[in-house]
Amino acid sequence: MKKDIEKINENIKLAFDYQDHDGWKDNSARYLDYFKGRYYPSATQTEKYVINTVFNFVNLIVPNLFFREPFIRVKPRTKYIAKKSSDGTLMTPTWRSAMLMESVLNKTLSDIRFEDEVRKCVQDCMFYGFAVLKLGYGIETESAPDIESPENPDDTQRIREEGIFAMRVSPLDYGFDPAATSPDDARFEIHRIVKPKDEVKDNENYKNTDDIPDEVPEEFKARLKNKEDVSGDFVTIYEYHDHMKNRIYTLYKGAKKFMRDAGNPHDFKGSHFIVLKLAGDNDSFRGIPMIGMIEDEAVAMNETVTKMI
C-alpha cells in the first residue's frame, strides 16, 4: 500500500499534467498572445496588418460583466433584540446593529481590495475558460501582504494576520481532481506557489526543507529577461488540499516527507477556492474561453485586411 505522500505526489503530477489535456495550456497562451497583439510569429509580425479584435473584445466585455464595487446589504430578521443591562432586559432595535455590521463588512471588502481580485478573475475567464479565487482567514499565511499601501503593485499578495482575504490565483498555478466537475465534488485541489528559497527555509511553519530542489515553473521563468536570475533563488512548493481528510499538506515535488501537515484552519469543511465560469459544459470543470469563440474571426480579419492593404 502506498504512503500518503507518495499518493499525493502522484496526484500533483496528475493534476498539472492535465493542463495539457485538449491543448488547454497552449490554447490559453495563444489567446493571451492575441490580447497582446501577437497574432503571428515574430519573423512575420511586421509584415502583417493587425486589428486587435481580442483586445477590444476583452476591454468591452469585462467592464460590462463587472462594473461596480460589490456591496453587502444587511437586513435584520427581527425588529428587536433582547439585551441585558443593569436595569434588566431591554428590547433594542436591530436596525442599529444591522447598520454597524453592514458598514464593517463593506469596509472589509474595500480593505482587502476584493473588487480588484474579482475583476482579474473575470478577465481570466476570457482566456482560460475559468478563474480561481482563494478565500480564507489569515492566521498563518503563505505570504505576507501589505494591504495598507494601495500604491503597491497589483501583484502584492494581500493576506494579513487576523483578517479575511480573497486572492486571485492564476489558473496555471491551480491543480484540481481531473474526475471532478467543480470544487464541490473534487477529492483534492492544489495551489502551486513559487517563493524565495531563503524565505521557505526560514519559515518556522515548515520543516524538512534541507533537500528542497531549485525548481520553478516555465511560466515563471518566461516573465524574466534573464532566466539565470532565478537559479538557486526560488523554489516551488505545493499546497495540497485533501477534501477527503479535511487536511492541508505542504510539500515540494518528489518530497519524502511533508513540509507541513495541518488540519483545516477554518470552521467550514470543503474548498477554500471559488471557481468562476462564464460559459461552458456544466459537467466539465473548466469553462469555455470566450476568446476561443472569436479566434477564427479575429485571425481571418487580420489576414483579409493584410491582403487588401
Side-chain angles (χ1 to χ4, degrees), residues 4-17 175-178 187-188 190 240 242:
D4 286 345
I5 196 167
E6 293 177 350
K7 182 62 178 176
I8 288 174
N9 270 306
E10 288 181 0
N11 285 343
I12 289 173
K13 184 178 186 305
L14 176 68
F16 284 94
D17 284 350
F176 58 86
D177 178 5
R187 294 169 297 172
F188 58 85
I190 306 162
Y240 184 93
D242 190 332

Side-chain angles (χ1 to χ4, degrees), residues 78-173:
T78 59
K79 289 186 176 181
Y80 300 97
I81 184 172
K83 288 188 176 181
K84 293 183 178 180
S85 68
S86 58
D87 298 330
T89 302
L90 298 177
M91 300 302 291
T92 305
T94 53
W95 63 267
R96 293 179 179 175
S97 299
M99 286 183 63
L100 176 60
M101 180 178 291
E102 185 177 290
S103 297
V104 170
L105 290 174
N106 287 294
K107 178 63 167 58
T108 300
L109 287 184
S110 177
D111 287 345
I112 66 174
R113 289 190 258 177
F114 182 73
E115 178 183 9
D116 294 341
E117 299 302 298
V118 175
R119 183 177 284 107
K120 292 176 186 177
C121 287
V122 172
Q123 181 166 311
D124 279 344
C125 288
M126 302 288 110
F127 308 106
Y128 299 103
F130 74 106
V132 184
L133 191 69
K134 186 178 184 179
L135 307 175
Y137 185 81
I139 301 174
E140 295 175 347
T141 65
E142 286 293 349
S143 53
D146 183 3
I147 68 170
E148 304 297 336
S149 303
E151 69 274 13
N152 281 354
D154 287 341
D155 60 355
T156 299
Q157 298 191 22
R158 308 177 185 102
I159 309 175
R160 62 178 176 180
E161 292 187 3
E162 301 300 324
I164 65 171
F165 68 87
M167 179 182 69
R168 174 257 181 188
V169 174
S170 170
L172 296 173
D173 290 326

Side-chain angles (χ1 to χ4, degrees), residues 209-278:
T209 60
D210 292 339
D211 297 326
I212 188 168
D214 303 332
E215 179 187 36
V216 294
E218 290 301 319
E219 299 83 22
F220 184 82
K221 293 181 181 179
R223 295 200 297 266
L224 304 174
K225 292 182 180 179
N226 185 1
K227 297 181 181 180
E228 294 181 358
D229 288 345
V230 302
S231 178
D233 294 336
F234 292 88
V235 295
T236 302
I237 60 177
Y238 296 85
E239 190 181 83
Y240 184 93
H241 294 241
D242 190 332
H243 298 320
M244 307 298 289
K245 296 183 178 180
N246 197 31
R247 299 193 68 79
I248 300 175
Y249 304 97
T250 305
L251 66 159
Y252 56 85
K253 187 181 293 185
K256 303 299 183 183
K257 296 180 180 180
F258 293 117
M259 295 169 55
R260 191 179 186 192
D261 177 357
N264 186 347
H266 308 307
D267 292 335
F268 64 86
K269 182 179 180 180
S271 178
H272 296 179
F273 302 89
I274 292 177
V275 173
L276 174 65
K277 291 194 301 184
L278 299 181

Side-chain angles (χ1 to χ4, degrees), residues 165-209:
F165 68 87
M167 179 182 69
R168 174 257 181 188
V169 174
S170 170
L172 296 173
D173 290 326
Y174 173 75
F176 58 86
D177 178 5
T181 60
S182 74
D184 295 334
D185 61 359
R187 294 169 297 172
F188 58 85
E189 293 173 278
I190 306 162
H191 184 190
R192 182 177 65 186
I193 306 166
V194 177
K195 299 174 74 72
K197 189 172 186 177
D198 291 340
E199 181 182 336
V200 172
K201 286 184 171 290
D202 293 341
N203 193 324
E204 296 179 355
N205 295 317
Y206 296 148
K207 57 184 180 181
N208 304 317
T209 60

